Structure formats: C-alpha cells, structure tokens
C-alpha cells in the first residue's frame, strides 16, 4: 500500500480518532492437516479506514482483496486499536492456546463493538475459546493500559466512559458467548436437523455448557501454574474431542455427519494445531 510500512504486525498509516474498523473473512489457504479437506474455518483480518491493516496471525485484507469479504464494520479509534493489538499485532492471543485469528480480531475491534461471528468457522472458535479468547482479566487490563498510553500522548482522547463500556463488553463471559452460540445453532444446526432441531436443541446446549465449564476450569489451572502449556492444550484437545463424541451420541452418527463431515480427531487436531501459520 502506498504511504504505509509494515511495523509490528500491522501496516501503520496516519491514525485518526474517528475511524471505521472493518473485520474481513477470507477463505483459508492454511492446510497443515491434509485430511481436513475444505472444512470451512475462514481466516479473519482487520482494517482501519485510516489505512492500518492487522493480519491476525495471517494475511491482511490488502494482500488478498479479491478473497476478502467484509463481515462487520463499526466506528472506533485506530490508535486505541493499535495499542490493544500490540507491537506484534496479536492482541495478547497465543495462537492455538488462548485463541485463533477470530479472537485476535475481536479484541482489536472490541471498542467498535463488532466481531467475527459471521465468519465461517466461528461456530467452532467461540465455544472453544469464547468471544475474545481465554484470559478475560488480562484482556481487561490490556484495554485499560492501551487507553492510558493513547491518552498520555493525546490527553482526553479516550474517555473513562468509553473504557468502562469496552471493559463491560469483554467481561460478559457466558452470557455474551451464549448469544453468539445460539445464533450459530440457528444458522448451522437448525438447517441440518430441520424438523428435529427442537427435539435435540436442549441436549446440544448441555454438551456446549459442559465444554464451556471444562475449558474455564482448565484455563484457571493453567493460569495458576497447576498445569503447563503442553498439558493445557492436550486437555483442551481431549475436552473438545469428548464434546464432539457426546454430540455424536446425542444426535446419532447420520445427523452428526451433516454437521461435522470430517473425523472428530482430525477436527480437534486442526483447531489445536500449535505452529502459527505464515498464511492461513
């Protein structure tokens, strides 16, 4: 892009207080597990109308504009977004451990109150890592610290009320996540199950809630140092695998196959793949 330079994981351009932030979804080119085929887990990236681009562990929208679809847009502050993203552009997310590109994008755009929920694959990303990735207390502090750094350079640019509103937004926990998950149920499960959807919905919700509590307990243990990262990721993988097995038992193999058309172990290994890709 003319007039920009790649700095710290994003293309820095002139930053303005009144900026439009946009989340883009693009078909993934990342296939570390060949058996996955064309399972739709899209990569997401973020842009600011001022010119800044965040690749969120992968490609930016500017690198593949023809392959990018805008899925959310809102008013924000590019300088605040850049501070939340940080020098590496990852917004505190550790890929495959506390989140993936979807959660990185959701953190950067949290002040604009938009997210990646309309990206294919978000129906998997949200139940596993939440809306904003694991580690909400650290994210709250990150948002506050980012606002302080912006205001130190530009006094009163970000109000206390704006900070409080974003902190409340990212602290929603299960209530906030449940809204997205229910939207995903309606979009992905209802068409697959058709007239049987209402029959199975309650049990599907129980499976999801079990995964939610499992992941929260494991992350608490990881945060306290009771288990190390390798153990945490392995247990998250096994928990996700068990949830898919439960869902298969609830629905029966034929119905389950309409929703998850690949082997369960392959799906789990893909989500928890440990090496951040150069391109997703």
């Amino acid at each position: 892009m003319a007039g920009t330079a790649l700095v710290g994981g994003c293309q820095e351009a002139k930053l303005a207080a009144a900026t439009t932030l946009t989340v883009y979804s693009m078909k993934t080119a990342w296939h570390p597990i060949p058996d996955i085929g064309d399972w739709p887990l899209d990569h997401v990236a973020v842009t600011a109308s001022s010119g800044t681009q965040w690749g969120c562990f992968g490609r930016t929208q500017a690198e593949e504009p023809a392959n990018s679809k805008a899925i959310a847009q809102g008013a924000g502050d590019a300088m605040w977004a850049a501070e939340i993203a940080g020098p590496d552009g990852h917004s505190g997310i550790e890929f495959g451990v506390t989140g993936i590109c979807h959660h990185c994008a959701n953190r950067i755009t949290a002040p604009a109150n938009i997210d990646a929920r309309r990206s294919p694959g978000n129906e998997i990303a949200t139940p596993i890592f939440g809306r904003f990735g694991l580690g909400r207390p650290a994210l709250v502090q990150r948002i506050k610290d980012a606002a302080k750094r912006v205001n130190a350079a530009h006094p009163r640019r970000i109000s206390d009320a704006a900070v409080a509103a974003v902190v409340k937004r990212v602290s929603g926990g299960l209530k906030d996540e449940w809204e997205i998950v229910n939207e995903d149920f309606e979009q992905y499960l209802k068409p697959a199950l058709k007239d049987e959807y209402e029959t199975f919905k309650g049990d599907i919700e129980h499976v999801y809630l079990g995964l939610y509590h499992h992941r929260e307990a494991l992350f608490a243990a990881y945060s306290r140092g009771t288990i190390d990262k390798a153990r945490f990721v392995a247990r998250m993988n096994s928990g996700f695998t068990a949830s898919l097995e439960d869902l298969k038992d609830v629905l029966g193999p034929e119905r389950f196959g309409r929703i998850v058309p690949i082997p369960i172990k392959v799906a789990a290994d893909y989500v928890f793949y440990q090496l951040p890709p150069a391109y997703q």
Side-chain angles (χ1 to χ4, degrees), residues 36-233:
I36 208 72
D38 291 325
W39 190 43
L41 183 63
D42 275 20
H43 172 57
V44 297
V46 178
T47 71
S49 57
S50 55
T52 312
Q53 298 265 336
W54 291 277
C56 302
F57 298 101
R59 297 158 293 157
T60 65
Q61 183 274 338
E63 290 179 279
E64 290 193 15
N67 187 35
S68 302
K69 178 183 178 180
I71 57 172
Q73 193 171 80
D77 185 309
M79 184 172 285
W80 195 8
E83 290 292 340
I84 292 171
D88 61 6
H90 298 165
S91 65
I93 292 292
E94 187 173 1
F95 188 85
V97 179
T98 59
I100 58 174
C101 55
H102 293 230
H103 307 94
C104 178
N106 289 353
R107 290 183 172 202
I108 293 170
T109 60
N113 196 20
I114 57 175
D115 57 39
R117 70 179 68 188
R118 299 191 187 282
S119 176
N122 194 69
E123 73 278 7
I124 298 162
T126 296
I128 296 173
F129 297 112
R131 181 182 180 187
F132 297 102
L134 302 179
R136 286 189 300 273
L139 174 58
V140 166
Q141 192 59 52
R142 187 180 189 91
I143 289 166
K144 291 179 178 178
D145 290 344
K148 286 180 181 178
R149 288 192 294 272
V150 172
N151 285 336
H154 302 274
R156 298 182 298 280
R157 176 171 172 140
I158 301 172
S159 69
D160 291 343
V163 174
V166 177
V167 167
K168 181 179 180 180
R169 189 174 302 139
V170 304
S171 302
L174 178 58
K175 180 180 179 181
D176 182 52
E177 185 175 320
W178 191 245
E179 173 191 332
I180 298 174
V181 169
N182 268 290
E183 288 180 9
D184 289 335
F185 284 174
E186 293 289 322
Q187 183 176 353
Y188 296 102
L189 301 188
K190 192 172 184 178
L193 298 176
K194 299 179 181 177
D195 293 343
E196 296 180 297
Y197 174 68
E198 293 299 332
T199 300
F200 290 104
K201 184 181 178 183
D203 291 328
I204 294 170
E205 290 174 348
H206 289 152
V207 172
Y208 159 72
L209 289 171
L211 176 60
Y212 173 87
H213 292 300
H214 176 82
R215 111 187 164 211
E216 292 297 304
L218 282 177
F219 187 73
Y222 175 52
S223 299
R224 289 192 297 265
T226 307
I227 56 175
D228 62 15
K229 181 166 68 175
R231 174 70 174 170
F232 170 67
V233 173

